[in-house]
Amino acid sequence: MSIVNKLRCEYRENPIGIDCTQPRISWQIQSDTRSWLQAAYQIQISQDIEFKNLLWNSEKVLSNQSVHVEVHHLVVEKCKRYYYRVRVWSEQGEQTDWSEIAFWEMGLLQASDWQADWISTPTEQFPLETETCPLLRHTFQVKGHVQRARIYATSLGLYEMKLNGLSVGEQAFTPGWTSYKHRLQYQTYDVTDLLTSGGNAIGVMLGNGWYKGKLTGRGKKNMYGDRTAFLMQLHIQYEDGTEEIITSNSNWRAAESPVLMSEIYHGETYDARLEKINWSTATYEDADWFPVETLQHTKDMVVAQENEPVHKIEEISPIALITTPSGETVIDMGQNMVGWVRFTIQGRSGQEVTLEHAEVLDQEGNFYTDNLRNAKQTIRYILKGGAPEVYEPHFTFQGFRFVLLTGFGESIRLADFTGIVLHSDMERTGYFQCSDPLINQLQHNILWGQKGNFLDVPTDCPQRDERLGWTGDAQMFIRTSTFLMNVATFFSKWLHDLAADQLEDGGVPFVIPHVLSEKSHSSAAWGDAAVICPWVIYQCYGDKRILEQQYESMKAWVSYIRKQGNDEFLWNTGFHFGDWLGLDAKPDSYIGATDRDFIATAFYAYSVSLLAKTAKVLSKEADWELYTRLYAQIRHAFQQEFVTPSGKLSVPTQTANVLALMFDLLDGTAKERAAKKLLELLEESKFHLTTGFVGTPYLNLVLSQIGHTEAAYQLLFQQDYPSWLYQVTKGATTIWEHWDGIKEDGSFWSKDMNSFNHYAYGAIGEWLYRCVAGIDVDEEAPGYKHIQIKPQPGAGLTWVEAKLESMYGWIYAEWRQSSEHLMEIRISIPPNTTASVLLPNAKETHLRENGAALDQTTGISEMRQTETGVSLILGSGTYNFTY
Ligand code: BGC
């Protein structure tokens, strides 16, 4: 029996408010038959849930495609809902029932769909420099039975919205952070159940956020504009078929809120005595509120929200109440986390409490905030007094494990404090567990690095006065992130912004959205995010559209590099971060020893090689030829410049050898010598790395690629500095920016650059999943349509269990070295996929599947004894191998 399930449109289950006019539909198949392959599908799209009025019927389409099937024969209309269902036929001739019915709903599609006005506070009563967050409100009548109601809303700055006193949606930090000058996302809310007949009220609070608030280490404000504003449209459909649209306009009213200050980096100040009770209900008397001002601001850049919204994802209870040596009261959340603290307090009116947030305690055990630089991360709350009061901040988030409490008095109860973890609400798709608790903690730290730094934009860190979309960091970690969560729309949105912020000449800003100085752009390995990220998303989700979407941007980046300097095949000019934080750096330098021209040219070659592959995928023949030739020319120039005639690499660092091998830049003797040299360098350093941001993500991958997985394991299991486990043994719960963020003696690396939640080095996750567990894509059949499974057991681990939910369904790879003589490997792959498997060190003669010899097993279409093990081709299903 097989069924079609997990229907998704543009990656989402029943999305409302999309503006993609040719949405793509994906489904999974569940089947108890092995080797299930789809031979055909049929999609029906209907206006009604009974499927009486079909808008589109694909009829039976002979195709094995079950992921990203584009709906292109339908002219979609704004605000309309479309129901769809799918059935499929297998190659074995089975026909499934219709799937359960799913739907998507269009949002507003163009600027002219917005009848609403931008509204803002009157500048006379609210001078531009005022820090108090404004409230906006509006009342209206509902005149009949409501069938359906939607709010479409966005803001300059951040907004929180209420309808009749209740929160609209569960999203935080709306409308999210995009390249605001070019793109501003609106959100869609189903508010059918929040409306009542008669008088209704909408209430909104605005915050500075990324738009107007203080950003970057220089504390620049008004980055995009100096006025916050709001734009919204409420579409009410009555049961009698009529429709009414309520909009933001000059009839709205404004007043001050109790939020006296709210800044992303600095925290929030709230005076509960200023609360206006029931201010967002219809009965509230707003005679003393001021009329709003309408604002002439374009709506051309307003687009539908593309990625998953930020939500409150989980809650953490503190594990300890500490009195520090200096006498301060600190609570320990037990986890370096990102979000805020919700607390309950009872006290007298006017009493003030503060919560300051830090990632670590210092050598003596005192509260330490020097590494936050200028970010204050401080919540000040002034009580209204009387009954217990519960508080959560609005437009700020903190990166912290420890919270310093002031003003709470003597009897502090831990139960009054809860850590609220916020991040983009991406689906969790991957899990990795193994026999070594330290590696499991490392895995935990990688995951928490992702949680903390995937808050709408992929950031470098979530705590100091930075929290920016550093392109290099994102590029290094993206592949790891695809294993842990479904990050497709998260990156698709960010890449849209990358393209929007790209310079005329193709240069790529260091951070996206671009908020640094004009000159801050186009470092090698950072700007290459423009090419690497779309390619990774395509590989991991089979998403060809992201390549189409980014193609011009990818090309522009390559053409930018090509134009630099005198030699179009080398990149040896300009500023580069180099092997950032590499341990072979000169004293007092952040930049590792590896020659920067070497790194730049290597990444140039790599980006061009990916661009050539992209051109091929998109059937752009001429481009494919062009970039294939260019790649060969760069490779040649690289060899001329950096390889001696006898085949020695002129840059003798770990990172240099890693890059040359990873990007396949060497031939023959030179290639062999680089592999040998890398191992020599590792031996010299007693198997410790010296690599920085650029070399580290590829180090273990390259070792496995050149057949030295045992060396990669050695690196992995080091516990002394520098190593991944050093920080784990020091109690890290997230990934550190520096290999020695905290030194052996408990002192810190430095004040100015010492984040304890920086995911870049978490890129080791990629090797754990792709090599140790052995789950990998096949470049030719991306999105795990054809899966590579090649577990690589090594000294130090006796078992590994990994699973990944691909677009097709769950993939499992588990191995267990039960004894010296018995290896158990369990593999499971979803319907409509196939896998090439290598069972390491297996001998055909000893191999059993579920206890039986292999030739009696269905699902295995090919079997071959190789030098390194038994190679198999499997169809979908679960297999338990022993040998
Ligand atoms: C960030 C990094 C970033 C780097 C550029 C730092 O301040 O935190 O992670 O990539 O600057 O080298």
Side-chain angles (χ1 to χ4, degrees):
M1 240 279 279
S2 310
I3 57 164
V4 177
N5 67 2
K6 201 147 184 186
L7 265 59
R8 278 177 287 185
C9 175
E10 289 301 316
Y11 290 99
R12 284 179 282 173
E13 273 173 59
N14 302 334
I16 62 169
I18 67 169
D19 64 359
C20 167
T21 52
Q22 299 197 329
R24 296 162 299 169
I25 288 173
S26 304
W27 56 88
Q28 293 183 4
I29 292 139
Q30 249 178 23
S31 177
D32 45 23
T33 337
R34 270 193 179 178
S35 293
W36 198 101
L37 286 174
Q38 179 183 299
Y41 68 78
Q42 182 177 11
I43 299 175
Q44 287 184 339
I45 299 175
S46 163
Q47 192 100 72
D48 61 290
I49 201 161
E50 284 88 35
F51 282 76
K52 286 194 198 119
N53 303 302
L54 284 192
L55 294 170
W56 188 56
N57 187 348
S58 73
E59 301 296 350
K60 185 171 174 179
V61 180
L62 296 180
S63 163
N64 65 5
Q65 193 183 352
S66 55
V67 164
H68 305 310
V69 177
E70 196 174 282
V71 177
H72 48 253
H73 295 296
L74 188 72
V75 181
V76 290
E77 289 171 51
K78 69 169 181 204
C79 305
K80 275 236 166 85
R81 179 179 283 200
Y82 298 88
Y83 293 96
Y84 67 102
R85 60 181 181 185
V86 177
R87 64 176 167 183
V88 300
W89 289 261
S90 76
E91 279 193 357
Q92 287 108 324
E94 182 193 6
Q95 179 192 325
T96 68
D97 285 338
W98 284 110
S99 65
E100 281 187 15
I101 293 159
F103 66 84
W104 80 86
E105 192 179 291
M106 302 305 295
L108 302 180
L109 304 183
Q110 48 201 10
S112 58
D113 294 337
W114 289 93
Q115 306 167 15
D117 293 322
W118 279 110
I119 54 171
S120 186
T121 46
T123 41
E124 203 182 313
Q125 288 82 11
F126 298 82
L128 292 180
E129 46 303 342
T130 184
E131 294 209 87
T132 303
C133 291
L135 300 176
L136 307 174
R137 77 176 238 116
H138 180 62
T139 52
F140 59 95
Q141 294 291 316
V142 167
K143 298 170 201 111
H145 289 290
V146 176
Q147 190 179 40
R148 181 179 114 159
R150 297 284 181 270
I151 286 182
Y152 306 97
T154 187
S155 59
L156 306 178
L158 298 174
Y159 73 89
E160 264 183 21
M161 186 170 30
K162 285 172 186 278
L163 189 53
N164 298 325
L166 297 170
S167 290
V168 174
E170 288 166 353
Q171 321 190 354
F173 300 101
T174 45
W177 192 11
T178 44
S179 164
Y180 290 137
K181 293 210 167 78
H182 309 279
R183 290 164 24 82
L184 172 65
Q185 300 194 130
Y186 72 85
Q187 287 69 45
T188 303
Y189 305 93
D190 180 351
V191 293
T192 316
D193 295 337
L194 293 181
L195 292 177
T196 55
S197 64
N200 286 260
I202 299 180
V204 174
M205 178 158 67
L206 295 178
N208 291 344
W210 298 283
Y211 184 85
K212 172 177 149 79
K214 294 174 187 140
L215 269 191
T216 80
R218 293 167 188 226
K220 284 195 263 180
K221 54 181 188 177
N222 300 332
M223 194 66 75
Y224 300 92
D226 58 7
R227 280 183 91 171
T228 54
F230 186 61
L231 179 74
M232 85 110 225
Q233 228 155 267
L234 163 60
H235 291 219
I236 306 174
Q237 272 175 25
Y238 291 105
E239 277 173 8
D240 64 7
T242 57
E243 194 189 50
E244 188 177 8
I245 299 182
I246 310 289
T247 65
S248 50
N249 61 29
S250 55
N251 296 329
W252 287 49
R253 300 179 73 76
E256 288 182 338
S257 78
V259 180
L260 303 183
M261 184 281 288
S262 189
E263 286 284 341
I264 302 258
Y265 295 163
H266 301 308
E268 201 158 289
T269 302
Y270 188 91
D271 188 342
R273 294 170 302 180
L274 305 177
E275 280 175 0
K276 301 178 194 314
I277 310 300
N278 295 332
W279 65 279
S280 61
T281 62
T283 48
Y284 178 85
E285 184 46 65
D286 62 11
D288 58 344
W289 288 43
F290 305 102
V292 297
E293 279 175 16
T294 58
L295 214 66
Q296 289 313 312
H297 190 88
T298 173
K299 295 165 201 161
D300 287 343
M301 77 308 188
V302 178
V303 293
Q305 168 129 8
E306 185 174 358
N307 60 334
E308 290 88 1
V310 174
H311 281 154
K312 297 179 193 175
I313 306 285
E314 57 195 293
E315 300 195 350
I316 291 188
S317 298
I319 57 166
L321 183 64
I322 304 168
T323 304
T324 64
S326 65
E328 291 174 324
T329 305
V330 169
I331 53 174
D332 177 1
M333 304 308 299
Q335 170 66 49
N336 196 13
M337 58 163 281
V338 175
W340 57 58
V341 173
R342 182 181 66 216
F343 61 92
T344 306
I345 184 162
Q346 189 164 20
R348 63 182 164 75
S349 177
Q351 180 186 339
E352 182 175 325
V353 294
T354 61
L355 295 86
E356 290 166 74
H357 302 73
E359 290 188 292
V360 285
L361 300 180
D362 72 9
Q363 210 169 4
E364 278 83 44
N366 285 316
F367 193 71
Y368 176 84
T369 54
D370 287 356
N371 69 324
L372 304 178
R373 307 199 304 217
N374 293 319
K376 295 201 181 64
Q377 297 212 121
T378 300
I379 304 297
R380 284 176 59 209
Y381 181 85
I382 300 154
L383 279 72
K384 88 188 136 212
E389 301 168 39
V390 182
Y391 189 67
E392 283 184 59
H394 302 264
F395 304 120
T396 180
F397 62 86
Q398 284 76 50
F400 65 102
R401 171 170 170 170
F402 298 96
V403 188
L404 169 61
L405 304 178
T406 317
F408 281 86
E410 295 295 290
S411 51
I412 290 170
R413 295 186 319 161
L414 281 186
D416 288 336
F417 299 87
T418 306
I420 310 291
V421 178
L422 289 120
H423 57 83
S424 290
D425 199 354
M426 298 157 292
E427 196 176 354
R428 179 83 194 269
T429 52
Y431 298 83
F432 178 96
Q433 255 202 319
C434 67
S435 52
D436 187 284
L438 293 178
I439 305 296
N440 289 338
Q441 181 66 38
L442 173 65
Q443 175 57 30
H444 169 99
N445 297 1
I446 296 170
L447 174 66
W448 277 84
Q450 180 160 344
K451 290 183 186 191
N453 285 294
F454 277 44
L455 197 150
D456 209 46
V457 162
T459 55
D460 56 335
C461 57
Q463 74 298 81
R464 67 178 177 226
D465 53 0
E466 199 148 16
R467 315 182 187 193
L468 302 174
W470 279 96
T471 46
D473 307 46
Q475 170 273 108
M476 291 153 204
F477 187 68
I478 184 171
R479 186 65 199 268
T480 299
S481 77
T482 64
F483 190 88
L484 295 169
M485 301 178 194
N486 187 326
V487 296
T489 63
F490 180 81
F491 274 104
S492 178
K493 169 218 173 223
W494 184 72
L495 287 166
H496 262 130
D497 290 310
L498 186 149
D501 274 343
Q502 211 164 349
L503 313 186
E504 286 274 293
D505 61 3
V508 174
F510 293 161
V511 300
I512 300 294
H514 183 27
V515 288
L516 298 178
S517 73
E518 248 171 63
K519 281 196 237 147
S520 303
H521 69 89
S522 306
S523 162
W526 271 251
D528 295 283
V531 175
I532 295 170
C533 295
W535 182 253
V536 169
I537 297 298
Y538 165 67
Q539 284 294 306
C540 296
Y541 301 98
D543 187 336
K544 208 161 134 182
R545 190 178 280 174
I546 199 156
L547 297 181
E548 284 158 10
Q549 170 192 312
Q550 297 301 125
Y551 192 59
E552 288 309 314
S553 153
M554 295 163 88
K555 274 170 65 171
W557 169 242
V558 161
S559 110
Y560 170 87
I561 304 175
R562 195 170 181 176
K563 280 193 237 111
Q564 304 306 305
N566 298 326
D567 187 332
E568 59 175 325
F569 305 128
L570 287 177
W571 193 7
N572 52 13
T573 53
F575 167 80
H576 301 286
F577 293 111
D579 192 18
W580 186 246
L581 307 185
L583 294 172
D584 44 13
K586 291 204 186 102
D588 298 323
S589 169
Y590 289 133
I591 296 179
T594 308
D595 182 80
R596 283 189 265 177
D597 300 346
F598 180 101
I599 295 175
T601 306
F603 271 88
Y604 177 26
Y606 184 48
S607 276
V608 173
S609 73
L610 297 183
L611 184 54
K613 288 180 189 177
T614 303
K616 188 157 177 229
V617 173
L618 300 180
S619 309
K620 297 185 187 285
E621 281 305 313
D623 280 2
W624 175 69
E625 271 171 37
L626 176 87
Y627 295 120
T628 307
R629 200 173 336 113
L630 179 59
Y631 173 62
Q633 286 158 326
I634 300 167
R635 214 168 163 271
H636 178 73
F638 175 88
Q639 294 180 359
Q640 294 289 304
E641 184 80 357
F642 300 110
V643 187
T644 68
S646 57
K648 179 175 159 185
L649 219 54
S650 66
V651 182
T653 62
Q654 290 181 7
T655 292
N657 287 284
V658 163
L659 293 185
L661 291 165
M662 186 73 201
F663 300 156
D664 193 22
L665 300 174
L666 305 172
D667 297 307
T669 331
K671 195 167 175 173
E672 281 163 31
R673 286 185 71 170
K676 224 173 118 214
K677 181 71 185 176
L678 178 58
L679 286 164
E680 274 168 28
L681 289 170
L682 287 172
E683 266 161 37
E684 266 170 38
S685 64
K686 301 207 171 50
F687 287 90
H688 288 83
L689 42 77
T690 57
T691 49
F693 271 35
V694 160
T696 305
Y698 300 129
L699 179 55
N700 277 15
L701 290 172
V702 161
L703 288 169
S704 286
Q705 193 179 298
I706 61 175
H708 285 283
T709 295
E710 81 294 339
Y713 268 93
Q714 254 178 297
L715 284 167
L716 175 72
F717 276 110
Q718 296 298 1
Q719 291 189 18
D720 56 345
Y721 162 82
S723 66
W724 287 279
L725 293 189
Y726 169 74
Q727 48 188 273
V728 171
T729 62
K730 286 275 167 222
T733 58
T734 38
I735 300 288
W736 296 353
E737 180 175 23
H738 285 271
W739 295 114
D740 56 348
I742 299 175
K743 299 187 180 185
E744 276 296 0
D745 66 0
S747 64
F748 294 120
W749 187 85
S750 86
K751 286 183 194 177
D752 60 331
M753 286 276 298
N754 204 10
S755 151
F756 293 96
N757 194 355
H758 232 75
Y759 55 52
Y761 291 149
I764 185 67
E766 178 176 347
W767 176 74
L768 291 170
Y769 320 133
R770 289 176 71 184
C771 298
V772 174
I775 301 178
D776 210 346
V777 294
D778 175 348
E779 231 177 72
E780 301 299 320
Y784 298 95
K785 175 79 174 122
H786 183 71
I787 306 156
Q788 305 276 359
I789 300 189
K790 297 193 173 107
Q792 301 190 35
L797 292 181
T798 53
W799 60 266
V800 165
E801 290 177 6
K803 59 177 176 174
L804 168 67
E805 189 180 16
S806 69
M807 291 299 284
Y808 295 92
W810 286 96
I811 301 165
Y812 292 80
E814 303 175 4
W815 57 261
R816 191 173 295 271
Q817 183 86 54
S818 316
S819 70
E820 212 190 313
H821 304 294
L822 184 65
M823 177 67 106
E824 297 170 60
I825 295 192
R826 190 170 94 98
I827 288 167
S828 185
I829 64 163
N832 208 22
T833 67
T834 50
S836 296
V837 174
L838 186 82
L839 300 174
N841 305 320
K843 292 266 176 310
E844 230 174 314
T845 39
H846 296 144
L847 194 55
R848 295 280 179 279
E849 203 282 295
N850 264 340
L854 253 60
D855 52 2
Q856 298 163 8
T857 315
T858 57
I860 301 174
S861 61
E862 225 182 276
M863 174 159 68
R864 216 158 30 88
Q865 180 72 54
T866 73
E867 264 174 42
T868 47
V870 171
S871 145
L872 304 165
I873 299 198
L874 304 185
S876 67
T878 301
Y879 301 81
N880 294 298
F881 296 106
T882 44
Y883 56 95

